[in-house]
Amino acid sequence: MTKTAPNVNDASGLPADSQAILNWLESPSAPHPAEELPTLRAHLAGLRQTPGALQQRAVALDGLYIRAAAVVGRLVPTLTERALPVAPKTRRLVRSIVDLLQVMADETLALVEQLDPQHQPSVHHPSLSPTLALWRSLQASAQQLMVCHLIAAPSRVGAWQQLHQTYATAQRLHLAAAVPDGLDSSLQHVYHAAVLLGCAHPASLTPPEVVFLTSYFERFADHLEPASATAAASPGTFWIDPTRDLPASSSQRKASPQTASIEYFSCARLCLLIRNQIHALEAGTPARRLDLSDFAESPAGLGLLRRLLARWSGSGKRRFQRRRQNTRTLLAAGLDNLWHVCRKGESTATELSTWMITNESAEGYAVMHLSGKTGALAVGGVVAVRTGSENEWQICIVRWALSENPEHLELGLQILAPSAVAAVLAQPSENLGTQYLRVLLLPEIPRLRPVELLVASAGALARRQNRMVLVIESENLSIREVTSTHIDEQTTSVDILSIEPEHDPAE
């Protein structure tokens, strides 16, 4: 955010309303930043009706924006609640933040309409810069979208269209490449960073992943490249219709409409950067040396970068057609809960909930919550589902989540296996002795996956542990020695490994 501040020495002769705003801006911040949201929103909303010269209103708006940006900056890190659906208290806070960001975007954009694009503000009134006003409007719109992603909520109606149209205004005024004084990013960079977050399928991200990718794209949005309609068939190519209230769409997943306003861009150069960063992180290079946050070198961070690379480098086309359904299913969430269900049956589950399957394919389901406690639900977590006509519990991973309100929750589930075996993993340790970890063993699927999978809690497995001992208790006690051959996936909830039986070197 910009570091300019209102010049209170210029407040002489201001109307009472503007003077009251500047006086409030000089007051100490509230103990909790959320307490300032109503006052900030009221001052911003009433500023346009305040009498006085444009310069006076711009000075007041400058101070309000700086104060509001600081408040939002303090509140966003608190919105990292992973459990779904998000608590009503958190939703109310997000709604207040989104309302404030919307007023900020509207008021700074309205200021642009009153300024001369060629006007160069004096050092005493930097708030009169149309470049700065447009930058702030774009930033507020981008933050509004990001905050909604943090709670798996759909964006406000018109939010994407306003972002596109604000950037179109910057292009029309030839300000897209400009960097406002005191800032280190251009208007184009802010816009591209917001667009890239939309391309990352935010519904499939946990709050820490949203925060990480927001920061990531703010650093590397300059790797996005313009493309032409002829390149639409290339992996990683997206299109935007600035006239519609939609994020960018993958050219390979959805054909663009035949209109002149369509804009294309390619993520191929960014994918190359991500691939190089993954290789460097896997080789032990510290994340800070790559200009990344520490989250990038965690198993969950590496897993996120791999998923992003796979999504943008692949074809993007659906392998199976979806069929609409309205059947009901039981759902158990959380690895410990699933372990009990797979070992002793449904009666041992601590929490079961009822869902409706709204559509299904050979690969998975879309489900909507109907009743019951949802348990430890999070994007990237594992769940088990069973319909009335089935005996086995299917093991699935939660790929995306959408929640419009506290009573509404939809999930996208990808089937990992038609059943699972509860097992205990013995991990010898020199310092702590042998530790025992509850895991799930997923059988191989002929013609689809020729190996077994091991599902464990994220970060629970010792690093560089290839040889493992599994204890399986059913009718008889079974002990198996297995080797990890590949990391299939790592999320903030689970690690999924491909395994095979340990071979005797003497054989």
Side-chain angles (χ1 to χ4, degrees), residues 170-466:
Q171 289 179 308
R172 177 173 53 83
L173 299 177
H174 305 290
L175 297 175
V179 179
D181 292 340
L183 298 172
D184 55 6
S185 60
S186 66
L187 281 72
Q188 182 184 71
H189 195 94
V190 173
Y191 176 69
H192 284 172
V195 167
L196 285 170
L197 184 60
C199 295
H201 190 21
S204 68
L205 305 174
T206 62
E209 291 172 340
V210 171
V211 171
F212 169 72
L213 283 186
T214 298
S215 175
Y216 184 91
F217 294 138
E218 286 174 354
R219 289 184 177 93
F220 303 112
D222 55 346
H223 284 67
L224 184 149
E225 297 177 300
S228 63
T230 57
S234 303
T237 302
F238 292 80
W239 58 267
I240 297 174
D241 185 348
T243 65
R244 302 178 66 185
D245 185 29
L246 293 171
S249 299
S250 170
S251 297
Q252 294 190 306
R253 196 176 183 93
K254 184 178 180 181
S256 60
Q258 300 299 315
T259 61
S261 61
I262 299 299
E263 298 178 5
Y264 295 86
F265 64 90
S266 171
C267 295
R269 185 170 165 231
L270 185 57
C271 286
L272 179 60
L273 173 68
I274 295 172
R275 183 177 288 107
N276 291 337
Q277 289 171 335
I278 291 173
H279 291 163
L281 290 168
E282 290 176 336
T285 304
R288 297 292 177 91
R289 192 177 299 174
L290 301 173
D291 197 21
L292 299 173
S293 68
D294 293 338
F295 180 79
E297 63 189 34
S298 68
L302 270 169
L304 173 60
L305 290 175
R306 293 189 192 106
R307 293 199 309 274
L308 188 62
L309 180 62
R311 181 176 296 137
W312 287 355
S313 300
S315 66
K317 295 181 180 178
R318 293 187 182 278
R319 294 190 297 170
F320 306 101
Q321 292 295 320
R322 294 177 295 180
R323 301 186 301 273
R324 292 189 179 277
Q325 291 285 0
N326 59 359
T327 56
R328 297 195 176 198
T329 184
L330 290 176
L331 184 146
L335 190 57
D336 280 344
N337 204 20
L338 268 61
W339 191 88
H340 285 289
V341 167
C342 294
R343 185 182 181 192
K344 298 182 179 180
E346 176 183 325
S347 60
T348 64
T350 56
E351 290 180 339
L352 292 177
S353 50
T354 303
W355 299 66
M356 178 180 288
I357 299 176
T358 56
N359 67 62
E360 66 173 329
S361 72
E363 199 170 35
Y365 308 97
V367 297
M368 181 173 64
H369 180 241
L370 296 179
S371 62
K373 293 184 178 180
T374 55
L377 270 179
V379 172
V382 290
V383 300
V385 295
R386 183 179 70 79
T387 63
S389 59
E390 297 176 339
N391 294 322
E392 297 285 351
W393 288 84
Q394 288 185 318
I395 308 303
C396 305
I397 186 168
V398 180
R399 286 302 183 195
W400 56 263
L402 182 64
S403 179
E404 295 182 356
N405 54 65
E407 289 74 37
H408 171 262
L409 181 60
E410 294 183 47
L411 303 177
L413 308 179
Q414 179 186 343
I415 300 172
L416 296 178
S419 61
V421 174
V424 174
L425 175 65
Q427 295 192 104
S429 171
E430 295 181 359
N431 300 326
L432 302 176
T434 302
Q435 296 180 298
Y436 298 94
L437 177 68
R438 290 174 177 174
V439 297
L440 292 180
L441 191 60
L442 308 185
E444 67 272 12
I445 304 176
R447 299 183 181 181
L448 291 179
R449 191 185 67 241
V451 297
E452 294 178 296
L453 296 181
L454 182 72
V455 183
S457 297
L461 297 175
R463 289 193 174 187
R464 299 181 178 86
Q465 179 183 9
N466 293 324

